[in-house]
Amino acid sequence: MLSNSLAYAIKALIYISHNSSETERITLKEVSDSTEVPKPYIAKILQDLVRNNVLHSIKGPNGGFYFSEEGLDISLLQVVHILEGPDKYNKCLLSLKDCNASSPCPLHDNIGQVRVELLKRLEQITFRQLMQHKKSVDLF
Amino acid sequence: MLSNSLAYAIKALIYISHNSSETERITLKEVSDSTEVPKPYIAKILQDLVRNNVLHSIKGPNGGFYFSEEGLDISLLQVVHILEGPDKYNKCLLSLKDCNASSPCPLHDNIGQVRVELLKRLEQITFRQLMQHKKSVDLF
DNA sequence: ATATTTAAAGACCTTTTTATCTTTTTTTAT
DNA sequence: ATAAAAAAAGATAAAAAGGTCTTTAAATAT
């Protein structure tokens, strides 16, 4: 239901949210080791998130990735938009061009409700919330 | 949210459900023309559905695809299982092995509910229902 | 200044999904 | 029997997703 890359990103971000601050950065190696996502692959994903200001990073000794205070309030939906584009959960389930509330496709009212609910929840969930989840501490 | 192939399959099946019977078969060409799915691609999908008894087909002149009476009661979930395998909407959103109600991952209770609702609806919807949808007549 | 540590960038490879083309098999009408 | 109509099967190609490797750039400690 969620892509591989998105699930990896969420795991990595939860890990970083727990362990980082502006002064305590997490290295790529640590993220890769703890989340068990291949290093070059998670690197690509994190680079993308840094470019889009979800995370910050600093190079060199004692460098690494960290969440700023504001970053923690980024929603899952924003991460989806960055990694998969804005259309991922936002188009007609049958890819019809003229599907809408007044002229709905046969799935629009039924499965479409689920899609809308998914969007709503993705928008509500932030990393500040996720990091408070009890399991997220020993996820890794 | 749904794969390309699955959306194609659903469109084709809705079309066939409207226009076929054991004596009136729909040719591949007609399906391809009406749904605007490339012929060889929709052929592959329909073959798969025939092998799995969702549809029936007959070769030769006046041949084609048709839904049997029982076929119309096949659920969308069964089609998902055939085309995408049983795990598609059935595993932990973060792909954790030990994610369950008593030890849920951080998405389990929230996004997981949406997943369960999706499964429930996919299971309830049959082609007999979909063919009664008003738009499904002039979908194509 | 230099060496070391670390992320960034870019080239490359593999697998899966999407799509096309060609040949074969089956059925029917003549 | 033969020709035509149609699906089945299989081989191939293109694009996207997933994954790896190497080089470059930046920061820090010495």
Side-chain angles (χ1 to χ4, degrees):
Chain A
M1 183 156 159
L2 308 181
S3 74
N4 227 330
S5 294
L6 183 62
Y8 285 170
I10 294 172
K11 283 207 265 187
L13 290 173
I14 290 177
Y15 182 82
I16 296 171
S17 74
H18 268 99
N19 299 284
S20 81
S21 70
E22 299 213 17
T23 50
E24 283 275 324
R25 294 127 196 176
I26 311 298
T27 66
L28 191 58
K29 182 175 186 338
E30 193 179 338
V31 174
S32 166
D33 287 351
S34 339
T35 59
E36 290 176 304
V37 178
K39 204 162 82 166
Y41 192 30
I42 194 65
K44 278 291 170 55
I45 294 169
L46 293 182
Q47 277 164 36
D48 208 355
L49 295 172
V50 167
R51 264 194 301 276
N52 285 278
N53 291 306
V54 174
L55 280 180
H56 296 288
S57 69
I58 288 188
K59 294 181 184 177
N62 301 315
F65 299 88
Y66 65 96
F67 255 114
S68 64
E69 266 304 300
E70 320 87 78
L72 288 174
D73 294 313
I74 297 261
S75 72
L76 285 189
L77 187 60
Q78 287 173 275
V79 174
V80 170
H81 284 344
I82 291 166
L83 298 180
E84 332 237 23
D87 285 351
K88 185 61 187 289
Y89 302 109
N90 238 328
K91 52 187 214 300
C92 169
L93 294 156
L94 297 180
S95 300
L96 304 183
K97 271 160 213 147
D98 67 334
C99 171
N100 51 61
S102 58
S103 174
C105 79
L107 301 186
H108 191 90
D109 291 321
N110 197 329
I111 307 289
Q113 272 183 11
V114 176
R115 186 176 60 75
V116 169
E117 182 63 28
L118 177 60
L119 279 170
K120 210 171 86 187
R121 292 182 184 218
L122 288 173
E123 198 169 8
Q124 280 167 351
I125 300 173
T126 65
F127 289 95
R128 198 181 295 283
Q129 286 170 258
L130 288 178
M131 71 186 289
Q132 276 150 25
H133 187 280
K134 59 181 180 310
K135 183 151 181 173
S136 73
V137 184
D138 51 32
L139 246 186
F140 313 105
Chain B
M1 183 155 155
L2 308 181
S3 75
N4 224 331
S5 294
L6 184 62
Y8 285 170
I10 293 172
K11 282 206 266 187
L13 289 173
I14 290 176
Y15 182 82
I16 296 171
S17 74
H18 269 101
N19 299 286
S20 82
S21 69
E22 297 213 18
T23 50
E24 283 277 322
R25 294 127 196 179
I26 311 299
T27 66
L28 190 58
K29 180 170 186 345
E30 193 178 339
V31 175
S32 165
D33 287 351
S34 340
T35 58
E36 291 177 304
V37 177
K39 203 163 84 167
Y41 191 33
I42 193 67
K44 279 289 166 57
I45 293 169
L46 293 182
Q47 276 165 35
D48 207 356
L49 294 172
V50 167
R51 264 193 301 277
N52 286 277
N53 291 305
V54 174
L55 281 180
H56 296 287
S57 70
I58 287 187
K59 294 181 183 176
N62 302 314
F65 299 89
Y66 64 96
F67 255 114
S68 64
E69 267 303 301
E70 322 86 79
L72 288 174
D73 295 312
I74 298 260
S75 71
L76 285 189
L77 187 59
Q78 287 172 276
V79 174
V80 170
H81 284 343
I82 290 166
L83 298 180
E84 333 237 22
D87 285 351
K88 185 64 187 290
Y89 302 109
N90 237 328
K91 54 187 212 304
C92 169
L93 294 158
L94 297 179
S95 298
L96 304 184
K97 272 161 213 144
D98 66 336
C99 171
N100 52 61
S102 57
S103 173
C105 79
L107 301 185
H108 190 91
D109 292 320
N110 197 328
I111 306 290
Q113 272 183 11
V114 176
R115 187 176 60 75
V116 169
E117 182 64 26
L118 176 61
L119 279 170
K120 210 172 86 187
R121 292 182 184 217
L122 288 173
E123 198 169 8
Q124 280 167 352
I125 301 173
T126 65
F127 287 95
R128 199 182 294 283
Q129 286 169 257
L130 287 178
M131 70 186 288
Q132 277 150 26
H133 187 280
K134 60 181 178 310
K135 184 151 180 172
S136 74
V137 183
D138 51 32
L139 245 186
F140 313 106

